[in-house]
Amino acid sequence: ASSASASATIAAAVATKMDASETQHTPLFTVMEAASDTSTNLRTQFQSFANKRVVVCAGDIVAQDSTNGSRLATVSAGRAVEPRIAQTSVEEAIGWIGHPKKALAIVTSLSTDLHTTLDGERFTTLYQVPGKTGFYVCTGQTMAAVGSDYALLQNLRVIDKATRLARARALDFVQAKIRCDATTGYILETEAKKIEGELNAVVRPMVDADEAVAASCTIKRDENIVSTQNMTITVRVQPFGYPRTIALDMGFTAIGA
């Protein structure tokens, strides 16, 4: 895009496609590169935009050419963000300083450093960390509305994976024979526990894989399945915490303590 305004227009079009994919039960997200424009213009043009499935990278970098390591080119920060996403598992923050891959490999310098002005505006930017060599993602974040559970990209990736797993297994129960109480039409407890066990068997491996702290599926017990022909399943996933800052309380031990 040639300007912040054009970038916002593209983001809106992309958001429509992402919403459609979610409606079709194929959740996706898109990483797009914002135009080389001022932080003021970008902030203004994206102020009213919100979509959890769009990641907007702001700022330019001087990067090594992927085919010729000695040649440099000025490109969007997105060119460094995209491979870092591919290098991380769903629950890992792409801004994790201790990432096994360390600093972003292709970045030699920042052509425009926008992290101080745009990180707090939901843009994904790059920065240097004092005491560390190289450049890192400041925060891997989506353009979700402020306060959303899916403001962090890794939280979106985790819930999307859980959704794919749970939905695939739940589909096996569409028009299945469900034993219900003869008076209320509610699912029998033995039946509910059996189905929950099968659903939990597909989502709880995410906990074993260290992709989530906890995951569970629960069937609504007081729903008249006989008359409504619907069975409600609640899936809940507990994400990890991701400290943005670390506070070190330094000092000497008092004599005699």
Side-chain angles (χ1 to χ4, degrees):
S2 58
S3 66
S5 176
S7 292
T9 298
I10 292 173
V14 170
T16 299
K17 295 291 186 181
M18 294 299 97
D19 290 343
S21 72
E22 185 172 16
T23 300
Q24 295 300 316
H25 307 293
T26 53
L28 304 170
F29 68 91
T30 293
V31 179
M32 65 168 286
E33 303 169 356
S36 298
D37 208 329
T38 67
S39 58
T40 298
N41 287 343
L42 287 168
R43 182 169 55 246
T44 299
Q45 293 298 326
F46 279 87
Q47 190 171 18
S48 62
F49 175 77
N51 190 282
K52 67 184 180 183
R53 299 197 172 279
V54 178
V55 177
V56 181
C57 299
D60 293 332
I61 62 173
V62 178
Q64 292 181 337
D65 189 285
S66 59
T67 59
N68 184 343
S70 63
R71 189 171 61 190
L72 302 178
T74 300
V75 296
S76 166
R79 303 295 180 90
V81 171
E82 292 150 6
R84 179 48 53 98
I85 292 173
Q87 292 167 342
T88 61
S89 56
V90 293
E91 84 291 349
E92 290 178 347
I94 61 174
W96 177 26
I97 301 299
H99 192 281
K101 294 293 184 179
K102 305 300 180 185
L104 300 167
I106 69 169
V107 185
T108 61
S109 65
L110 300 182
S111 177
T112 53
D113 185 354
L114 301 180
H115 85 275
T116 57
T117 53
L118 292 182
D119 179 68
E121 301 293 336
R122 302 173 296 145
F123 289 86
T124 296
T125 60
L126 307 186
Y127 73 139
Q128 276 188 294
V129 181
K132 289 288 187 179
T133 301
F135 300 86
Y136 295 82
V137 176
C138 190
T139 310
Q141 53 192 348
T142 72
M143 295 298 285
V146 175
S148 169
D149 288 342
Y150 308 111
L152 294 177
L153 176 59
Q154 62 267 27
N155 283 350
L156 177 67
R157 297 177 72 193
V158 166
I159 202 67
D160 279 353
K161 180 170 183 177
T163 299
R164 288 192 295 269
L165 293 172
R167 181 177 185 273
R169 190 67 185 92
L171 283 175
D172 293 337
F173 297 100
V174 173
Q175 298 195 50
K177 297 181 295 184
I178 304 297
R179 291 178 173 82
C180 300
D181 183 88
T183 302
T184 63
Y186 297 170
I187 188 170
L188 296 181
E189 184 63 20
T190 53
E191 188 86 339
K193 287 184 176 179
K194 175 185 175 183
I195 297 173
E196 286 172 348
E198 295 185 34
L199 292 167
N200 284 323
V202 299
V203 297
R204 285 186 175 161
M206 290 185 66
V207 179
D208 299 332
D210 214 25
E211 295 173 335
V213 176
S216 64
C217 299
T218 306
I219 294 175
K220 184 176 175 63
R221 297 300 201 270
D222 58 351
E223 183 173 36
N224 188 335
I225 297 176
V226 174
S227 63
T228 67
Q229 299 181 27
N230 181 74
M231 181 170 67
T232 300
I233 303 170
T234 300
V235 182
R236 291 292 181 265
V237 180
Q238 181 184 342
F240 289 93
Y242 303 91
R244 293 284 304 277
T245 58
I246 302 293
L248 295 178
D249 185 353
M250 305 295 297
F252 291 114
T253 301
I255 299 300

